[in-house]
Amino acid sequence: MHPIPQPPTASHDHEIESLAEFDEVLAEHGTLAQYRLQALDLTPRTEALLNADCEGAVFLGCLMTPEAATHVRATGALVFPPVPNLPFNPYRGHTYTPQELFADLDRGYEATPDAGTYAWFERTKTDGDIFTSMLRSVHDDSVSDALDELLTGAQVVGIMGGHAMERGTQAYEGAARLGRALARDGLTVATGGGPGAMEAANLGAYASPHDDEMLTEALRILAKAPSFRPSVTDWARTAFDVRGRWPEGGTSVAIPTWFYGHEPPNAFAAHIAKYFANATREDGLLARCNAGVVFLPGAAGTVQEIFDNATPNYYESRGEPTPMVLVDRAHWTDRHPTWPLLRSLAKDRSMESKITLVDRIEDAPAALKRLRG
């Protein structure tokens, strides 16, 4: 019996997530020992596998011929085979793309992988089956790993806000212009990945390489389907119409969840890290916003995000506090009086100099820059 392989010290350097990386590793090192191979179709590499040292390697959801699978096990590898009949890949090595989640949209949103995965989640989330809960956990950890690799060295700014903000409104346009301004400042925009303010911010980042005319026209096109209700299909199709007309957009990140499966992901983020566990998603989103977070008007979800972000800033559990900019004084002092509590928590602590409240969304980029120093 072979011992359980121990992870190498530099785990990301030992992950193989494409056939090009597979070929490069064998050409440079001549071995697969201690590597982790994720979700690859290795059937075209059977001969290479039969001649490779695989001691301590881990194959996660890789397709192999029976001969190759027998060989790698015999030489000391641990093999987790693909799981049949799943609408998602639990071992995936990369974040999602909009095209991947919305594949087959021409047949209606219900035919897409995103909708199929949500339907699977709804069927299994309370069935008490340890196998399905394990698959969700493995998937979410794989997504987190891919997100960490993607954001290495990036300055990430979060834009949080409600899903109810409709296209065609002044608030939606403001959120889009905010996302564009922050992207043009060299920051990586990250959102909760859903509709409303989240979509607007990702749209703004997508529009960042283009002129004002592009954003104005994109907003006009999107206003034809103001909300994802009653038709996610129509809502998503207008987004892909915009992408089709201006295919070269700026990049941003979306971090949505199937826990809120009634909210589809938006199509403007280049990279979508979608989770089953909302708690993992929320904490991970805020933890990765190392350049600060802008909080637009929202309800319960946005209030939760404010204090999910405030707590590690209060205790400095993630190091030096990061900036928090709240937008709309009336909303955060009268309608949902979050600002007075946040300010009282911050008093006489290092986070006090990292929080601010602005009246207008146009003031947010300058406020964020000031708090970042």
Side-chain angles (χ1 to χ4, degrees):
M1 181 179 292
H2 296 287
I4 296 175
Q6 297 302 305
T9 303
S11 59
H12 289 316
D13 293 338
H14 283 71
E15 292 173 4
I16 299 176
E17 297 161 346
S18 70
L19 290 181
E21 288 179 330
F22 179 92
D23 295 338
E24 182 182 341
V25 165
L26 282 183
E28 185 173 346
H29 302 290
T31 180
L32 296 175
Q34 301 300 323
Y35 279 87
R36 281 77 175 101
L37 296 88
Q38 286 179 256
L40 300 177
D41 182 356
L42 295 173
T43 52
R45 300 294 190 272
T46 297
E47 185 176 351
L49 287 172
L50 293 175
N51 291 287
D53 172 19
C54 299
E55 178 67 33
V58 179
F59 290 79
L60 297 166
C62 295
L63 292 172
M64 292 180 279
T65 64
E67 183 184 16
T70 298
H71 170 79
V72 300
R73 286 191 179 96
T75 56
L78 187 61
V79 177
F80 292 82
V83 182
N85 303 317
L86 277 182
F88 64 95
N89 183 350
Y91 306 114
R92 61 181 303 111
H94 305 280
T95 54
Y96 293 95
T97 65
Q99 293 84 353
E100 183 180 2
L101 288 174
F102 285 102
D104 295 321
L105 181 63
D106 58 328
R107 296 195 291 122
Y109 174 69
E110 294 73 17
T112 66
D114 185 66
T117 303
Y118 175 54
W120 178 89
F121 179 49
E122 284 292 285
R123 289 195 307 270
T124 63
K125 66 181 181 181
T126 58
D127 64 7
D129 184 351
I130 191 171
F131 181 59
T132 56
S133 64
M134 182 196 73
L135 291 174
R136 293 193 295 269
S137 296
V138 170
H139 169 274
D140 285 1
D141 194 63
S142 297
V143 168
S144 290
D145 182 72
L147 192 57
D148 285 339
E149 292 181 33
L150 175 71
L151 296 178
T152 298
Q155 289 292 298
V156 182
V157 58
I159 300 179
M160 309 297 160
H163 70 269
M165 183 186 290
E166 290 195 346
R167 297 165 171 177
T169 63
Q170 186 176 359
Y172 186 95
E173 180 178 346
R177 295 191 181 280
L178 172 64
R180 187 178 66 168
L182 295 178
R184 287 178 172 177
D185 281 344
L187 300 172
T188 298
V189 171
T191 78
M198 296 170 280
E199 180 190 53
N202 287 127
L203 166 65
Y206 188 85
S208 61
H210 300 281
D211 58 17
D212 282 347
E213 184 179 348
M214 176 269 174
L215 182 56
T216 299
E217 182 62 11
L219 291 168
R220 185 192 68 79
I221 294 170
L222 293 171
K224 296 175 183 176
S227 173
F228 64 98
R229 297 187 178 100
S231 172
V232 175
T233 302
D234 293 344
W235 174 84
R237 280 176 176 163
T238 56
F240 281 101
D241 286 347
V242 170
R243 290 185 62 105
R245 185 165 175 179
W246 295 279
E248 302 298 326
T251 61
S252 65
V253 175
I255 307 180
T257 174
W258 281 292
F259 182 80
Y260 297 130
H262 62 286
E263 295 180 17
N266 76 73
F268 291 110
H271 310 282
I272 303 176
K274 192 156 189 178
Y275 289 86
F276 289 108
N278 187 50
T280 304
R281 168 253 193 172
E282 286 278 8
D283 185 67
L285 170 57
L286 294 166
R288 290 173 173 88
C289 293
N290 53 8
V293 183
V294 178
F295 297 93
L296 302 180
T302 310
V303 171
Q304 177 183 343
E305 288 164 345
I306 288 173
F307 290 105
D308 279 347
N309 197 46
T311 300
N313 279 348
Y314 181 90
Y315 290 111
E316 299 186 48
S317 54
R318 295 179 185 144
E320 183 180 346
T322 52
M324 300 177 64
V325 178
L326 277 63
V327 176
D328 192 330
R329 187 175 303 275
H331 186 87
W332 294 121
T333 58
D334 300 328
R335 192 170 302 116
H336 298 302
T338 303
W339 173 248
L341 178 55
L342 181 63
R343 189 172 55 179
S344 68
L345 284 171
K347 185 174 176 58
D348 298 327
R349 303 187 74 89
S350 58
M351 69 177 285
E352 188 171 19
S353 64
K354 295 292 186 178
I355 66 169
T356 194
L357 174 67
V358 298
D359 288 313
R360 304 180 312 133
I361 198 168
E362 294 84 0
D363 300 328
L368 181 68
K369 188 174 291 187
R370 175 174 55 81
L371 295 186
R372 293 181 66 213

